[in-house]
Each structure stands twice: as structure tokens, then as C-alpha cells.
Amino acid sequence: MFGIYLKRELGRRKKAALVIALGLALGIALVITVNSVSAGMTQAQDKVLKSLYGLGTDMTVTKARTAPTSGSSGGPNFKFDAKSSSSSTQSSDRVQTQGGQALKSSLVTKVAGQKGVESAVGALSLNVTKVDGSFTQGKAKSSTSSSGSSGQGGPGGGSSSSGGAPQVQGGGANFNVNSYSVVGVDVAHQGLGPLSTMKVTSGKTFTTAQTGSKVAVVSKSYAKEKKYKVGSTFKISGTKFTVIGIATPDSSESDTDVFVPLKAAQTLGDAKNQVTTIYVKATDSKQISTVKKEITANISGTTVTTSADLASTVSGSLSTASSLATSVGKWLSIAVLAAAFLVAALLTSSAVSRRVREFGTLKALGWPSRNVTRQVVGESIVNGLIGGALGIALGVGAAYAVTAISPKLTAQLGNTGGGGGVGGGPGGGGPGQQASQNTLEIALSAPVSLTTIALAVGLAVTGGLIAGAMGGWRASRMRPADALRSVS
């Protein structure tokens, strides 16, 4: 009897049921969309942090670079002997450590021995500024300033991250100033540190036997810029390196152009037994804050940057959109959902009021109030489920539309004060980098999880129960006499 009556009444009141279902559907669709976009924001932020920190890295240890002394040069100087022939071409490299003041390699072992630390590995970030060109006559001196901006190339390939326009004295000259980043990695522990976010798509990565070998893995963007392939060779300060692999970042863009074994990088940078960044993995994520305090207390002068510290420096449209999604979006969803529940309850109550004759007659025939209430609640739950199905369809459609459009969001990476630029992140984040290299572009997606779908179903049932409770309460107060009074 219940099922037959339910089916008949829903069929008779299709328009009213559809209005109630659509009201619930809009609220549920908004909740799904906001939840999915928020999940996409979280994934985007994780990509930013992963590209900076490395897989499995919980924190980095760096040391702020000391302030330059009075009268010191603002950047590297290059000297050339000019020839009278205009065809004379000369080239010079200047290799400098970047990403903070150098630390002794022995500190890596000391950090690894701290309580709560599972593993630690060191890396050395270098910046290579290359100047090449030709003279027409006389002698010339070319200098670059770290605050200037010129040269050729762009981020990730021949960028002038610390180059300025060459200043030539004593004759005409034509120079190109290019800069690129080099990172020395511990080939025995590549699962932690800057190379852990890269996937070698051509060639191979380092072996433990290549501790000091003159081999290199280059980023895909830099290889494309320089037309490098596996087997290509290039020189850094006169030392020839062979490309053994080309790597693609797991997410976003790599800030590092060239990876070489740590010992080879230490030789290039005249930094024997030194590193600029120590990457740390804690035994337990709950121990991160404790480990940070312990390292800071036991190793003076260092700055320990956790993923939380790093996340606080991320700004730009990604940060703004994430804040809106988690604050304004959340409260907007709650407000719209509450309004949808209220409207559904009021419409159900109004529909019950128009069925006075029907319910009064049923009671006159012997139906108890609980049966009438059960009937109204059953109709409301069905309406809620219909609304939930429509809401899921609308919400999933909106989420897939966001993923298909993939709007671009930018993440600007600030400095956490460690002297290493973005907490001493991998691949040469440092004071000498251009601001453009500290900006990542992330494509936003809106993944819909099973948890979100389950939430939508729960909201649909809840909305139906609320509407049913209101309508059932109204129906239970009716008396058989009300049906007679409604007859004109």
C-alpha cells in the first residue's frame, strides 16, 4: 500500500516534486563543485611544494649568506685579452655557489644523527655565468652585475639570472651573457633531494660509481634550448661533461638546468667538502616540528625550513583562489545548501497544506497520524534522492568543465629567510635568481572523489528528511474535520 500510494502521488505531483528536487540539486551541485575545486587547489599546492622540495623531503637546512663587505664587487668580473682581429672570439665562465652560505659536508652526517631524522642528504647549488664574444681592438674588461638584467635565453635554459649588460673599456666588443643553474647531487641517495622530483625520460641517471665523474643529467627544457641529447658534451669552466640523461620534472617546471655528481660540482665551485642545502626526511610527519627545533638548537646559524614554512611563502593567483575556495566558497556552499533545505521544507509544507482534504479523508477512513507522516516523509526522501542525483550530475559536470578548461594559476614563491630562496629549495633557488624564475604556472583541475559523491548522497537524504519532517509535522496536525471544512 505504501509503495503504490507513493508512486501514485509522485506521479500526480511531478511539477511540485521537480521544483523541490531542483532546489536541492542546486545546493548539492554547488557543494560538489566547491569541494572538487578545493581538492584541485590542494593538489596544485602540493605540486608546487613537490617541485621545490623533492619527494619525501620534510625540511631543508640552509645558512643565510653573509652581507657583502663595503666596497666589494656587486657581481663577477671577467677579463679578456682583446685581439686586433675582429674575428677573435673569447669565452669565460664564472661559477659561484648560490642558495645560501656553504655548509660543511660533515653537517649532513650530524643532521642525519638527530633524533627523529630518518635520512639526510646534501646538495650544492651553483650558478654558472658564461660570457662570450669578440673584440675589434684594444683591451677590454667585461663585468656583470647580479642586479642587472640582460643576456639571452629565458628561465630553464640560458637565463640571465645573474647577468648584467657587459661593460667594455678600451675598444669595441660584442658580448653574450648567459647564466644557468647547476646542482651537485649525492649520486648514492637520489631518492631524496633535488633530483627526486625529476624523471629521466631519455638515457639514464647516475650510478653510485659516478661519484666524481664528468657526467650530467640535464632538464628537458634546457636540453631543448641547447639542442642537447644523450651523448652530447659541453664545458663548464673548461671541464668537459657528457650528457647521460634528460629529465622531466614530475610537476610544473624545474628550476635546475644541469645536474652533476656532488664531488664534480664541489670541484667546479671550489667548494671542497661543502654543500649549500641539506634535505631532511623525518621518521614521522608528527615529528617535523620537534626535529626542526632540535636541528636549530644543535646546529647554530642554520635555518630549518619545513613544508609548512614553504607553503606560507606561496602567493599569487593560486594562493588567492585557494583562500577564496576554502573560505568564501565554503560559507557560500553552506548558505546555499541551508537555503535549499529551507525552501524544500517550506514547499513540502505548502504542498501538504493543499492536501488537507486528502489527508483528512484518510484519517477519517482510519489512517493513524504515523501512517500519514510516513507517507509524506517517504515522498520527501524520494524527492531528495532525485535532487541528489540531479545535483551530482550538475556538480560532476561543473567539475569536469573546470578540468577541461584547466585555468592557469600562478604561484609566486617568496623567501623564507634562509638565504636560499624559497627555503633553499632544489636546483638553485637563490638570491641571484630572477623573479620570473620564482613564478610557477599550474593548471587547475577539479577531481571528484568518492567521498564527495557520498557527501552529496548524504546531503540529499538529509534534505529529504528535513523537508519530510516539516511536511509530516504539518500533516500530523490535520483532523478529519479539516477535510469537511475544505469542501465548499
Side-chain angles (χ1 to χ4, degrees):
M1 181 64 181
F2 172 77
I4 296 174
Y5 189 36
L6 179 64
K7 181 180 179 180
R8 185 178 67 83
E9 290 304 313
L10 289 174
R12 287 178 54 197
R13 295 176 175 81
K14 291 180 180 178
K15 290 184 178 180
L18 185 60
V19 170
I20 295 172
L22 284 176
L24 291 172
L26 292 176
I28 292 170
L30 183 60
V31 171
I32 292 176
T33 304
V34 171
N35 270 273
S36 301
V37 171
S38 296
M41 297 291 182
T42 301
Q43 288 185 358
Q45 289 177 327
D46 289 343
K47 286 182 180 180
V48 172
L49 298 182
K50 183 191 292 184
S51 67
L52 292 170
Y53 252 178
L55 297 173
T57 306
D58 293 319
M59 64 193 77
T60 56
V61 181
T62 57
K63 189 173 184 178
R65 197 179 287 273
T66 56
T69 58
S70 178
S72 62
S73 173
N77 293 323
F78 302 86
K79 293 184 179 181
F80 301 90
D81 289 328
K83 306 297 183 180
S84 58
S85 172
S86 61
S87 62
S88 176
T89 300
Q90 300 182 51
S91 177
S92 178
D93 289 346
R94 177 63 181 265
V95 182
Q96 290 182 300
T97 59
Q98 66 170 3
Q101 186 175 334
L103 303 167
K104 292 182 179 180
S105 296
S106 58
L107 285 179
V108 177
T109 304
K110 187 174 182 180
V111 169
Q114 300 293 299
K115 183 179 179 181
V117 174
E118 179 179 320
S119 58
V121 63
L124 182 68
S125 298
L126 302 174
N127 181 267
V128 181
T129 305
K130 185 179 184 65
V131 178
D132 56 68
S134 60
F135 293 86
T136 56
Q137 61 180 358
K139 294 183 178 181
K141 176 183 179 181
S142 172
S143 64
T144 63
S145 170
S146 59
S147 61
S149 60
S150 73
Q152 300 177 345
S159 59
S160 301
S161 57
S162 62
Q167 300 174 352
V168 182
Q169 300 173 348
N174 181 19
F175 282 110
N176 289 323
V177 181
N178 289 278
S179 182
Y180 58 95
S181 59
V182 177
V183 169
V185 299
D186 188 337
V187 297
H189 302 90
Q190 298 179 49
L192 181 62
L195 196 55
S196 63
T197 59
M198 308 291 289
K199 181 180 181 180
V200 177
T201 53
S202 179
K204 58 184 179 181
T205 188
F206 305 110
T207 65
T208 54
Q210 294 174 319
T211 305
S213 300
K214 305 302 185 291
V215 291
V217 173
V218 299
S219 68
K220 183 178 179 180
S221 58
Y222 188 68
K224 182 178 180 180
E225 174 75 19
K226 295 298 182 181
K227 295 181 173 58
Y228 288 155
K229 58 183 180 180
V230 175
S232 299
T233 60
F234 62 93
K235 289 184 178 181
I236 303 177
S237 289
T239 302
K240 182 185 289 187
F241 284 82
T242 302
V243 177
I244 63 171
I246 296 175
T248 304
D250 289 333
S251 60
S252 65
E253 290 293 329
S254 173
D255 287 331
T256 304
D257 299 318
V258 180
F259 300 89
V260 299
L262 180 57
K263 286 190 177 180
Q266 290 170 336
T267 302
L268 286 174
D270 193 22
K272 185 178 180 181
N273 296 324
Q274 292 181 337
V275 296
T276 51
T277 306
I278 301 174
Y279 296 84
V280 183
K281 182 177 181 180
T283 55
D284 188 339
S285 60
K286 297 179 181 179
Q287 299 292 324
I288 291 177
S289 59
T290 303
V291 173
K292 176 179 178 178
K293 291 178 182 178
E294 186 170 353
I295 294 176
T296 304
N298 295 339
I299 305 176
S300 61
T302 58
T303 299
V304 181
T305 307
T306 66
S307 56
D309 298 327
L310 195 59
S312 67
T313 71
V314 178
S315 60
S317 60
L318 173 60
S319 178
T320 302
S322 179
S323 297
L324 288 174
T326 55
S327 57
V328 178
K330 181 181 72 174
W331 290 111
L332 178 62
S333 298
I334 293 174
V336 171
L337 195 62
F341 285 174
L342 179 60
V343 169
L346 292 176
L347 288 176
T348 301
S349 179
S350 176
V352 169
S353 298
R354 291 194 297 271
R355 298 166 67 183
V356 172
R357 183 184 303 176
E358 174 188 340
F359 289 135
T361 302
L362 288 173
K363 286 192 174 184
L365 293 175
W367 269 43
S369 295
R370 64 175 180 275
N371 284 3
V372 175
T373 301
R374 184 182 65 175
Q375 194 67 40
V376 174
V377 171
E379 293 175 12
S380 298
I381 291 178
V382 172
N383 289 337
L385 291 176
I386 294 174
L390 293 174
I392 291 172
L394 290 173
V396 171
Y400 276 114
V402 171
T403 303
I405 297 172
S406 295
K408 302 295 183 181
L409 298 177
T410 58
Q412 296 172 351
L413 313 174
N415 196 318
T416 58
V422 199
Q433 278 195 301
Q434 287 180 318
S436 61
Q437 285 185 303
N438 282 338
T439 300
L440 298 178
E441 193 174 74
I442 304 293
L444 177 64
S445 62
V448 180
S449 65
L450 292 177
T451 303
T452 302
I453 298 297
L455 174 63
V457 173
L459 291 175
V461 174
T462 302
L465 287 174
I466 292 175
M470 177 74 78
W473 174 81
R474 178 72 182 85
S476 66
R477 295 175 62 85
M478 292 181 181
R479 298 291 182 266
D482 296 331
L484 296 176
R485 283 195 293 269
S486 66
V487 178
S488 55

